[in-house]
Amino acid sequence: MIYDFSTLPSQDRYRLLSNFVAPRPVALITTRDVNGRANAAPMSFFNVFSHDPAIVAVGIQDRPDGRTKDTMANLRATSEFTAHIVDMPMAEAMLICGLDFPPEVDELSLAGLTSRCGEKTGAPVIETAPVAMECRVERMIEWPERAIILGEIVSMHIRPDCFAPGGRYANPETFQPIARLHADNYIVANRQFEMVAPDREVLLTKAKCPT
Ligand SMILES: Cc1cc2nc3c(=O)[nH]c(=O)nc-3n(C[C@H](O)[C@H](O)[C@H](O)COP(=O)(O)O)c2cc1C
């Protein structure tokens, strides 16, 4: 099947992209409103795109009825957020944070997640998250009904048990993030495997001397 995106209706683009560009990491994004109230929402249109500067991107669209999401309103007001990588122990809380609550509801307390203020930003940092990246909005690319937020990571918190012995690399036994597939389907990184690239020189030699 080939789909022409120049004519494809918006809801079909969403269906195809969210079904087939998968799995996508889920970031639980925390922000504060102008009065300091905490907010949390999961976002799977999310990833890291550069390390120097360290940039993550988040795609946020308005609600189907046209209302701006609290996360978006808070980002416009404060320019600060924390992006948390989600694992299984946080999965149910993440789903609670994804429900449509009015702005005055603090999803973190509702979901039973404890947090503290960031080291470098005012955005909440969830205590139990395996990874939390404090970010400042570097730029917003806006379209009607949606925006891509580029956030510069200013501080990264990693739960100590997520490191393998030696403290440099992730421990596949303890750092097992979840990612979103389509609709209500998710996958957890609990079947990790190593894959080493074949020897380049051997391949080049083979390519030069076909048998
Ligand atoms: C796993 C998951 C991933 C989501 N990803 C996104 C996303 O990338 N962009 C978006 O705008 N909404 C996304 N949503 C929906 C928002 O989380 C949801 O609309 C939430 O209520 C927004 O909360 P807020 O108004 O507090 O910002 C996702 C929901 C779930 C459960």
Side-chain angles (χ1 to χ4, degrees):
M1 297 292 288
I2 299 175
Y3 297 88
D4 179 353
F5 269 52
S6 64
T7 54
L8 198 66
S10 176
Q11 63 272 29
D12 291 325
R13 294 171 183 222
Y14 179 80
R15 177 175 53 83
L16 293 180
L17 293 172
S18 60
N19 272 253
F20 295 108
V21 182
R24 298 180 304 283
V26 178
L28 187 54
I29 304 283
T30 55
T31 51
R32 285 190 199 279
D33 69 10
V34 276
N35 300 311
R37 273 184 308 220
N39 190 85
M43 302 285 164
S44 71
F45 281 13
F46 164 80
N47 219 314
V48 63
F49 287 94
S50 163
H51 69 283
D52 191 10
I55 299 288
V56 293
V58 191
I60 304 180
Q61 47 271 326
D62 289 348
R63 296 191 183 282
D65 62 9
R67 280 178 302 136
T68 301
K69 288 181 182 166
D70 301 338
T71 303
M72 191 65 224
N74 293 352
L75 289 173
R76 286 199 177 108
T78 68
S79 296
E80 292 179 344
F81 66 100
T82 307
H84 304 82
I85 301 297
V86 176
D87 60 5
M88 278 311 283
M90 279 178 74
E92 202 178 319
M94 177 276 291
L95 283 183
I96 293 172
C97 295
L99 299 174
D100 178 5
F101 294 112
E104 59 275 14
V105 171
D106 170 355
E107 289 93 353
L108 288 176
S109 10
L110 203 67
L113 292 168
T114 53
S115 65
R116 57 180 193 278
C117 265
E119 304 288 318
K120 296 213 175 165
T121 70
V125 170
I126 299 170
E127 307 270 6
T128 50
V131 175
M133 290 165 282
E134 292 182 55
C135 301
R136 290 211 179 89
V137 174
E138 202 273 340
R139 71 188 73 175
M140 281 190 189
I141 308 167
E142 305 222 34
W143 292 267
E145 299 165 34
R146 57 189 44 82
I148 293 177
I149 286 85
L150 300 188
E152 178 158 13
I153 303 166
V154 293
S155 174
M156 186 167 182
H157 309 232
I158 301 174
R159 216 174 55 207
D161 68 282
C162 291
F163 281 107
R168 283 181 66 76
Y169 304 109
N171 184 338
E173 301 301 323
T174 51
F175 179 61
Q176 298 187 337
I178 62 170
R180 195 178 199 185
L181 298 163
H182 62 285
D184 291 338
N185 292 271
Y186 296 84
I187 189 163
V188 60
N190 61 359
R191 288 180 56 196
Q192 301 176 32
F193 58 95
E194 272 189 60
M195 206 164 50
V196 179
D199 192 307
R200 175 181 178 276
E201 299 309 319
V202 172
L203 289 175
L204 273 178
T205 312
K206 266 194 203 161
K208 279 181 207 144
C209 318
T211 50

